[in-house]
């Protein structure tokens, strides 16, 4: 029995080493690891903010890869849209922010629909678009 387990382990290790060697010889496509994400903000009243600035620490405002646990910084959202580059994967995110509507109106908003692993989003393509529904905080 021990020989069978050891033999299986050795075969598995050999297969992994062969795959690693083959992938390094083929030239690693680093661009294939990342996704260009366009985030579109959707406000409760349908208006569009001129500028939205994300606030808070990583416990409140985060864009986190579930597998690597890496957090990404949010962009400034201009005219309700922001772009960022992230490693392909499964993400949870949420944030609190201040929305400036350009007419002197400032409102605090929150994104909370994808904060838990059960509501995560898959970002697996080279280009992705996320429509993020916001709620008012004040």
């Amino acid at each position: 029995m021990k020989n069978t387990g050891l033999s299986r382990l050795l075969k598995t290790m050999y297969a992994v080493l062969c795959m690693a060697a083959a992938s390094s010889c083929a030239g690693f496509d680093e661009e294939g690891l990342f996704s260009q994400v366009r985030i579109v903000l959707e406000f409760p009243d349908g208006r569009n903010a001129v500028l939205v600035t994300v606030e808070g620490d990583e416990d409140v405002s985060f864009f986190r890869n579930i597998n690597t646990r890496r957090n990404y910084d949010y962009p400034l959202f201009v005219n309700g849209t922001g772009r960022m580059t992230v490693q392909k994967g499964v993400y949870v995110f949420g944030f609190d922010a201040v929305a400036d509507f350009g007419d002197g109106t400032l409102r605090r908003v929150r994104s909370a629909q994808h904060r838990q692993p059960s509501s995560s989003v898959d970002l697996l393509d080279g280009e992705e678009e996320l429509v993020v529904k916001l709620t008012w905080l004040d």
Side-chain angles (χ1 to χ4, degrees), residues 22-30:
S23 68
S24 66
C25 292
F28 190 62
D29 178 19
E30 190 171 308

Side-chain angles (χ1 to χ4, degrees), residues 17-112:
L17 287 173
C18 287
M19 288 189 309
S23 68
S24 66
C25 292
F28 190 62
D29 178 19
E30 190 171 308
E31 286 184 21
L33 291 177
F34 295 95
S35 182
Q36 304 296 318
V37 182
R38 179 175 181 251
I39 301 173
V40 179
L41 303 179
E42 189 175 284
F43 290 86
D45 63 0
R47 290 192 302 165
N48 196 13
V50 174
L51 185 66
V52 177
T53 307
V54 174
E55 299 182 331
D57 61 18
E58 288 184 357
D59 292 330
V60 174
S61 298
F62 57 89
F63 197 95
R64 185 174 300 132
N65 184 307
I66 289 178
N67 296 319
T68 65
R69 306 289 299 158
R70 179 174 176 194
N71 284 318
Y72 290 85
D73 293 330
Y74 280 100
L76 278 177
F77 293 94
V78 178
N79 295 322
T81 303
R83 295 182 183 278
M84 56 195 301
T85 301
V86 299
Q87 183 179 357
K88 291 179 180 178
V90 179
Y91 285 82
V92 290
F93 64 91
F95 60 85
D96 287 358
V98 174
D100 181 345
F101 289 92
D103 61 0
T105 305
L106 297 176
R107 299 271 322 251
R108 292 190 46 77
V109 294
R110 175 172 285 163
S111 162

